[in-house]
Amino acid sequence: MTRYIRRAAALSLFLLAALFVNAVRIQVLQADGLNGSPANRRAAIARYDEPRGTIVVGGRPVTGSKDTGEQLRYERTYPDGPLYAPVTGYSSQTYGTTLLEHAEDGVLSGTDPRLAPLPFWNEFTRSERPGGKVLTTIRPSVQQAAYRGLDGRRGAVAAIEPSTGRILALVSSPSYDPGLLSGNSPEVTAAWRRLNGAETRPMLNRAIRQTYPPGSTFKIVTAAAALEARVVTDADAPTDTPDPFVIPGTRTTLPNPVPGCRNASLVYAIKWSCNTVLANLGAKVGLKGMLETAGRFGFNDASLRIPSGVAVSNFDRRMSVDQLALSSIGQFDTTATPLQMAMVAAAVANGGELAHPYLVDRTTTRDGDTVRETPRRSYRRAMFPATALELRRMMVEAAEKGTGTRALIDGVTVGGKTGTAQHGVGNAGTPYAWFIAWAQLPEAPRPAVAVAVVVEDPEAAGGEISGGGDAAPIARAVMVEALKAAKP
Amino acid sequence: MTATAAESLPPERPPTARRRGVELSLLVCAVLISVYGYADVGLARSGAVPPDALAYGAGLGLLALLAHLAVRLRAPYADPLLLPIAVLLNGVGLVLIYRLDLETPADRAAPAQLIWSTLGVALFIAVVVLLRDHRVLQRYGYLSVVTALALMIVPILFPAVNGARIWIRIGGLSFQPGEFAKILLAVFFAAYLAANRHALAHTGRRIGPLQLPAGRVLGPVVAIWLISVVVLVLERDLGTSLLFFGLFVVMLYVATGRTGWIVVGLLLAGVGAFAVGTLEPHVHSRVESWIDPYASITAGDGPSQLAQSLFAFASGGVLGTGLGAGHSILIGFAAKSDFILATAGEELGLAGLTALFLLYTLLVARGYRAGLDLRDPFGGLLSVGLAAIVAVQVFVIAGGVTGLIPLTGMAMPFLAQGGSSVVTNWIIVALLIRLSDSAREPHPEPVEAGVIAPAAPPAARTVRTDTGPAEPAVPTEAAARTDPPGPAAEGTR
């Protein structure tokens, strides 16, 4: 019997060894695949197991965490949700993340390996790192001024510090409370459906994700191109522009909002927004020159990130002369994000050099040790300093004596450009009101703020509406707040 | 045991050392490890040692101590590994159940498990104290089988739970009589086969390569076995029917030494498994889930229980997430019973799982060891049967939850929630203690007058005396055991 008992024992040993081999198969060989399975809830549980790191504006967190005691434990809260929604985006257990919540997710959720002082050791111990902080460049007072200025009307504001590229305000209106989307309850699904179905599209980030025809504000770009291409050598000299002006290659005449545009100088044309002069100049510069200048301001750049992706501002690469002429005054297919137009103003304000816009000052661990700091980077040289100086003078003229007087601030140098962009089939829609501007304190070496405002549904109706009436006061309020903070 | 000298006398002499001190030290370790695990769960979950950690340790320690005293007094030569392994597995099981209870505050199973464990240890002590000689059981072979069949049939009268009619529920208590039946059946098989092994092995007709034993010898045991399996299939307790199948085949093989039985057994098992797997919807779904555990995910219905179990194992990796830090509760309703191993796999990792497998392997190996050392066929067969019960149980359930074989509901010995299972396994260990005590104790009876045989070589004697304190008995015993086996050897020492 001994022999058979031994064999039976060997069989049992074989069975138990098979268990071990199978355990190795699952726990070692297949582990990665199983851990990565989308049906495996462990990743989601681990993700929400700790309070998420905070997004900080002006030293104060604008996000919080709520312990729900559920399996996905911590939910995001947004104390000032609608105001900062275009900055933070949402972090939803059901719908994922957007904007900064998305771009800085690694730091906020604690998975970024740079949060650990000893990454390898951490990998070994599998200890969870607490989420880090994201410190934004947004200035609360500027953001609030912009948000108040829009006052629920559809539109957007982007404000930049021209010398550094720091984004001081990013507002989209009407806004929404990202906190409504935080959890995984039926209410969240309902809120999602309601927000997505809303006619006003509150979840659209109009400041960086929506493009509008820039209208006359684009004339700054055309003017820069004309000066750079030496099509205009003296901004005060009369240009060879007939009025009425027939768009080249068509029989259509281009109207002007004011009289006196015939052979007007570039300065006058910017000051009073002469369509004929700039359409003519754009056509004279030619497609290549216009494309190049527009590109140096940031048009057609699909890779711009702040760090959230920015929608591409468009200036067509192939156009006939008549299309080019219309594009040169911000019509036809030319579209721009509010941020893009703020960049145009910033380039003028900063002597032609365009700093890369950014929204995150630095990221830190929960304890405040810096993980990464965003350096000042040059985006592009948009134009020669001399060109910038000329444009500066024209924008000041426009603000002080032309269409943009409602943006003026006592004792401050303000340069501005209005825009009224037609849109809709046969230009049937209410025109968008634009205003781009910059402001400089008397004793300051350079302007402290550049801003772009767009209002989709201006109050005034008919031909009277203009950027000067609806958008300029908002830009003024934003610049006032920005200058307060910049005061030495 | 007739046959040859090689068969009746194993080459290794059983050690005569009592080793009770070793057992006590190991028990202390087992209790400390369990208490450490208990405290660790608390630290991981709430940052504090559970307030009743000391009480838990004291309780487990007291049970272990009482069991140890029973062994020390009534089975002094018993294998010193058996009891510590049982205590450690039971302790770890309690920790895992307590840990899973934290996820389901409304359904706490650890207190009940502790009560059942206490009952199990009490029965362990009772068996060790009251059963002075395992050979007594041989007389109750038929009583055992009648009781076993009765126990298996009774639950048919009770409502099904999760598709299986294997429970008896009275008030808040529920137990699984089939659990006890497996011991009784092992006793019956051992008694019957020990009595008839020669007839089974050497009589009957030869058909081709197979030598069929006479029907009157084989008939009753096959009938009983078939009845058990059919009853279990009707009750949808496939794990236990698989267990009985394996148990019978192994014991029959060991008793007769005929490989043919194993072949026939495997063929029958294959046919049976195929038939049940295709015809019975409950089983069919499990087979399908085994073939592709992730089918329900692809179908958009979310992960199946088996897939969740595999996720848990994978999440543990090599070192595990740490006690209390895993999410095996995602497995669902059977997380504390059938799938408890997944929690071990997730939170203790491959390292912890290997340790558990090694503990079971040692337990099984020590059972077989006792079988090898025992000189009576009944004892040998019973040891083999009990060891096989543990081995097949571990294989069937661990193989099921790790996707090695189709899942059949069964309890991981000592680890899983389940009162009857814990109690039964304590009785199994008690019987193994009794059997190993007989196997290892020095033999007093050769002091029969006039049977002084030629002395064993001095070298052999020296080796023996090294290992044990029982000096005076050794030389005579050693001498006696070199005796050529006579007819009297059968059934006695």
Side-chain angles (χ1 to χ4, degrees), chain A residues 191-368:
Chain A
W192 173 261
R193 234 179 259 132
R194 183 164 43 75
L195 289 171
N196 272 302
E199 196 230 339
T200 53
R201 302 180 68 198
M203 278 163 63
L204 173 66
N205 187 342
R206 295 174 157 88
I208 59 170
R209 293 281 169 84
Q210 173 73 324
T211 59
Y212 301 88
S216 300
T217 55
F218 190 78
K219 288 171 184 165
I220 300 293
V221 178
T222 308
L227 290 166
E228 299 269 290
R230 313 292 292 166
V231 171
V232 174
T233 46
D234 182 357
D236 294 307
T239 53
D240 181 14
T241 315
D243 191 14
F245 172 76
V246 181
I247 301 172
T250 68
R251 289 179 181 181
T252 316
T253 56
L254 201 59
N256 274 319
V258 289
C261 285
R262 179 196 299 251
N263 294 332
S265 70
L266 186 55
V267 172
Y268 183 90
I270 293 293
K271 184 171 164 186
W272 294 111
S273 206
C274 293
N275 289 332
T276 48
V277 174
L278 284 136
N280 193 16
L281 287 178
K284 282 184 184 165
V285 170
L287 183 61
K288 189 159 167 281
M290 281 302 293
L291 255 178
E292 201 183 303
T293 302
R296 280 195 257 120
F297 280 96
F299 282 84
N300 295 338
D301 178 5
S303 63
L304 180 61
R305 311 193 78 81
I306 61 164
S308 310
V310 179
V312 190
S313 299
N314 179 64
F315 190 81
D316 276 359
R317 291 164 204 273
R318 299 165 66 99
M319 282 186 280
S320 57
V321 188
D322 54 319
Q323 291 167 343
L324 178 62
L326 282 174
S327 291
S328 300
I329 55 168
Q331 308 256 350
F332 189 56
D333 281 347
T334 306
T335 55
T337 59
L339 179 72
Q340 170 63 68
M341 293 321 291
M343 287 161 70
V344 169
V348 173
N350 200 42
E353 194 259 356
L354 181 52
H356 198 295
Y358 64 97
L359 194 49
V360 175
D361 207 15
R362 62 195 175 100
T363 50
T364 71
T365 63
R366 191 172 62 177
D367 302 331

Side-chain angles (χ1 to χ4, degrees), chain A residues 26 28-29 36 77 149 231 233 239 308 311 332 347 357-358 391 400 405 426 450 455:
Chain A
I26 290 165
V28 180
L29 303 179
T77 59
V231 171
T233 46
T239 53
S308 310
F332 189 56
Y358 64 97
L391 285 172
E400 287 182 351
T405 47
V455 183

